[in-house]
C-alpha cells in the first residue's frame, strides 16, 4: 500500500516541515537573516509607513482605560474551532480526480483567509481603544499585514500545486503495487488505499496552514491579555 514518505525532520515551522516531507524536498536554513529577507519584500513606501507607525505620536482620544472584554477572544477561539472542524469533517470525495480535491483545498484556504482577516481587523480595533501603546501596535500590525499579505498569499497559493505532485506519487505507487492483480495474481494492497492516505495528508497540511494563518491573531490576543492583566494588577495595587 502506498504510504507517506518518512524523512528526516527539516528546520522550520511545522507547516514547512510537513510540506517538505510530503513533496520529498530538502529544506535548509536560509543564508540570509530574516531582517534581510524581509527587506526584499518591503518597498520603500511601506518602509516609510512602518516607520511612521513605530515612531509617530498617536492621539489619545477614544482610548478606553477599561480592560478589554473577552468576547473577541472567545470569537477567535470559536472561529478557529469551526475552521478546524470543517477541515476534519471534510467528506470523502467519490472521485480520484485531483481537480476536485484541489478545489476543496482552495475553498478551505479562502475560508481561512476571510475569517482570519476579519478577526485580525477586530483585534486591531480593540487594541486601538485600550491604550496608546496598544494603538501603536495595532497600526504597526495593519502596515505589516498590508505589506506582507500579498507575498504570503502568493506562497500559500502554491500549496495545492505541491500537493498535486504528492498526489501523483501516491497514485503511481499504488498502481505499481496493483500490478500483480493485472496479471491474475492477488494483490495484498487495498484498492485505492493511496487516496485515503492523500486525504489525511491534505487535512494535515490544511490544519498546519490554519496554525500559520492564526499566528498574527495569537500575537494580538497575547497583547490584549497582557494589557488586561496589567489593568487588573493596577486595580489591586
Amino acid at each position: 500500500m502506498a504510504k507517506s514518505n518518512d524523512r528526516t525532520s527539516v528546520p522550520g515551522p511545522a507547516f514547512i516541515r510537513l510540506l517538505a516531507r510530503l513533496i520529498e524536498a530538502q529544506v535548509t536554513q536560509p543564508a540570509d537573516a530574516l531582517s534581510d529577507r524581509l527587506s526584499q519584500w518591503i518597498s520603500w513606501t511601506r518602509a516609510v509607513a512602518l516607520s511612521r507607525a513605530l515612531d509617530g505620536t498617536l492621539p489619545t482620544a477614544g482610548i478606553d482605560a477599561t480592560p478589554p472584554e473577552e468576547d473577541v477572544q472567545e470569537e477567535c477561539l470559536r472561529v478557529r474551532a469551526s475552521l478546524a472542524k470543517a477541515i476534519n469533517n471534510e467528506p470523502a470525495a467519490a472521485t480520484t480526480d485531483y481537480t476536485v480535491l484541489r478545489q476543496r483545498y482552495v475553498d478551505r484556504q479562502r475560508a481561512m483567509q476571510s475569517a482570519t482577516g476579519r478577526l485580525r481587523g477586530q483585534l486591531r480595533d480593540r487594541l486601538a481603544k485600550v491604550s496608546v501603546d496598544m494603538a501603536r501596535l495595532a497600526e504597526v500590525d495593519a502596515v505589516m499585514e498590508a505589506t506582507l499579505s500579498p507575498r504570503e498569499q502568493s506562497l500559500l497559493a502554491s500549496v495545492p500545486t505541491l500537493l498535486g505532485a504528492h498526489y501523483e506519487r501516491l497514485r503511481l505507487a499504488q498502481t505499481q503495487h496493483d500490478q500483480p492483480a493485472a496479471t491474475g495474481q492477488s494483490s495484498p494492497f487495498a484498492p485505492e488505499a493511496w487516496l485515503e492516505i492523500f486525504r489525511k495528508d491534505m487535512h494535515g497540511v490544511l490544519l498546519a496552514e490554519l496554525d500559520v494563518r492564526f499566528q498574527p491573531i495569537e500575537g494580538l490576543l497575547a497583547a490584549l491579555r497582557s494589557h488586561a492583566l496589567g489593568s487588573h494588577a493596577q486595580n489591586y495595587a
Side-chain angles (χ1 to χ4, degrees), residues 17-227:
R17 297 199 304 271
L18 179 56
L19 277 179
R21 178 176 64 83
L22 295 182
I23 67 175
E24 301 184 354
Q26 295 291 342
V27 179
T28 59
Q29 291 283 11
D32 299 331
L34 176 60
S35 58
D36 294 333
R37 295 181 66 84
L38 284 176
S39 67
Q40 300 172 14
W41 295 3
I42 302 177
S43 65
W44 71 269
T45 54
R46 293 296 187 187
V48 170
L50 181 58
S51 178
R52 288 175 177 171
L54 290 169
D55 301 331
T57 301
L58 298 176
T60 58
I63 297 298
D64 183 359
T66 60
E69 299 177 2
E70 296 182 355
D71 57 342
V72 66
Q73 301 183 43
E74 294 174 354
E75 175 68 1
C76 290
L77 292 174
R78 184 193 67 78
V79 170
R80 180 165 185 163
S82 177
L83 290 169
K85 182 178 179 180
I87 293 171
N88 289 321
N89 294 344
E90 182 77 42
T95 178
T96 57
D97 184 357
Y98 181 64
T99 303
V100 176
L101 298 172
R102 177 191 178 95
Q103 186 58 50
R104 287 191 172 187
Y105 195 100
V106 171
D107 289 343
R108 293 302 173 202
Q109 282 186 313
R110 289 172 178 169
M112 287 189 286
Q113 181 179 355
S114 175
T116 54
R118 176 177 58 82
L119 290 175
R120 198 168 174 179
Q122 289 177 351
L123 284 167
R124 286 198 297 263
D125 289 344
R126 183 61 59 88
L127 283 168
K129 296 177 181 179
V130 297
S131 75
V132 173
D133 288 340
M134 292 296 101
R136 177 172 289 108
L137 174 61
E139 187 175 356
V140 169
D141 182 73
V143 174
M144 292 299 291
E145 182 179 20
T147 301
L148 300 181
S149 283
R151 175 69 171 176
E152 177 187 73
Q153 298 310 320
S154 175
L155 293 172
L156 291 175
S158 67
V159 174
T161 300
L162 298 176
L163 283 176
H166 176 54
Y167 169 95
E168 285 299 325
R169 276 192 296 273
L170 289 176
R171 184 181 65 81
L172 291 174
Q174 183 74 51
T175 299
Q176 293 173 356
H177 284 306
D178 289 344
Q179 289 302 318
T183 60
Q185 303 177 26
S186 61
S187 173
F189 304 103
E192 297 186 357
W194 64 276
L195 191 56
E196 182 59 27
I197 291 172
F198 176 78
R199 291 193 189 102
K200 290 180 179 178
D201 288 339
M202 186 175 78
H203 290 170
V205 174
L206 275 169
L207 290 173
E209 181 175 330
L210 181 62
D211 288 340
V212 170
R213 289 180 180 271
F214 261 82
Q215 285 178 359
I217 293 172
E218 291 295 336
L220 296 177
L221 279 173
L224 275 175
R225 297 188 190 105
S226 175
H227 175 81

